[in-house]
Amino acid sequence: MDLDIRVVELLASRFCHDLVSPVGAIRNGLELIEEMNEDEEPNPAFMGEAIKLIDHSSLQADRRLRVFRLAYGMAGREQKGFGDVRSAIQGWVEGSRTSLDWPAGVPSDWAAMRTGMAKVLLNTLVLAEESLTHGGTVTVGGEGSQDSGRLTVTAKGRPGALTPESEAALTGRATADELTARTIHPYITGRFAETYGVRLSAAPAGAETLVFTLEW
């Protein structure tokens, strides 16, 4: 599969966009501590707030990097279980308006033995969460083995739908020139699915419900 340089540029833009806020907040907290250290009588309350800011922002950056590492990097390709993926997506949604409903043992780790399966599932989970701009619930269901299976990722909430642009990107109907920072993730999710032999589709299932199906 040929990869247009614009795709690489948009992925880099996404990384920077999602990390600039927490990294910038860490820097602001450190600058605040430096300023207080110059005061003859530093305010303990302000010091505590600065430390809380640094702690919260560093945790946020760490969670995002964990997802990016598995979703986009080589680390996700050879995952032989869903433990790291489950932990990463739980951190991704924590503190947001979206909750995760992923029953233990669903799917069995036999499904993760398929090369790239964990990566495709994680990217789909991120896409499902991003489709719920007003919050909701993302649910994982289904079962499978290394050779065959069917999983579902259900996004229930508002709006519970992909934009036409995101749908075109996911299915590969959008050209590289038509991609934007908002549609690069669905585009790359669809291309990962194709590369690893997963049939990925998205369809509405009633009001404010979107179901992603992964079959192999």
Side-chain angles (χ1 to χ4, degrees), residues 5 18 24 87 211:
I5 192 65
D18 283 8
S87 176
V211 178

Side-chain angles (χ1 to χ4, degrees), residues 110-131:
W110 279 108
M113 295 298 289
R114 185 181 183 88
T115 299
M117 191 65 230
K119 177 193 286 285
V120 175
L121 178 57
L122 178 56
N123 276 282
T124 304
L125 286 165
V126 172
L127 183 55
E129 189 273 334
E130 291 185 346
S131 74

Side-chain angles (χ1 to χ4, degrees), residues 51-197:
I51 292 174
K52 287 181 182 179
L53 174 62
I54 293 171
D55 181 65
H56 172 77
S57 300
S58 61
L59 179 60
Q60 190 178 38
D62 176 74
R63 287 171 173 170
R64 292 180 182 183
L65 283 169
R66 287 176 184 271
V67 167
F68 293 156
R69 174 176 174 268
L70 293 173
Y72 300 138
M74 288 295 294
R77 185 179 187 274
E78 301 296 341
Q79 288 290 306
K80 299 307 180 185
F82 291 107
D84 287 345
V85 168
R86 184 190 296 267
S87 176
I89 196 63
Q90 284 175 335
W92 181 268
V93 302
E94 188 169 336
S96 71
R97 291 178 290 182
T98 298
S99 60
L100 178 68
D101 180 9
W102 189 346
V106 177
S108 71
D109 282 346
W110 279 108
M113 295 298 289
R114 185 181 183 88
T115 299
M117 191 65 230
K119 177 193 286 285
V120 175
L121 178 57
L122 178 56
N123 276 282
T124 304
L125 286 165
V126 172
L127 183 55
E129 189 273 334
E130 291 185 346
S131 74
L132 301 175
T133 55
H134 297 278
T137 303
V138 174
T139 304
V140 181
E143 191 52 273
S145 66
Q146 183 176 0
D147 297 324
S148 65
R150 182 178 186 272
L151 303 181
T152 58
V153 174
T154 303
K156 188 172 182 58
R158 296 175 55 200
L162 291 178
T163 65
E165 294 79 11
S166 291
E167 185 177 0
L170 178 66
T171 58
R173 290 184 286 108
T175 66
D177 288 339
E178 293 172 329
L179 296 176
T180 67
R182 290 183 178 276
T183 59
I184 187 59
H185 182 74
Y187 177 81
I188 206 69
T189 298
R191 306 297 72 72
F192 279 139
E194 291 173 356
T195 298
Y196 297 120

Side-chain angles (χ1 to χ4, degrees), residues 26-55:
I26 293 170
R27 183 58 193 166
N28 290 339
L30 291 172
E31 290 177 349
L32 184 57
I33 290 175
E34 290 175 358
E35 291 175 1
M36 286 186 290
N37 285 336
E38 295 174 358
D39 295 339
E40 293 182 2
E41 297 182 8
N43 189 315
F46 287 166
M47 180 70 75
E49 289 301 316
I51 292 174
K52 287 181 182 179
L53 174 62
I54 293 171
D55 181 65

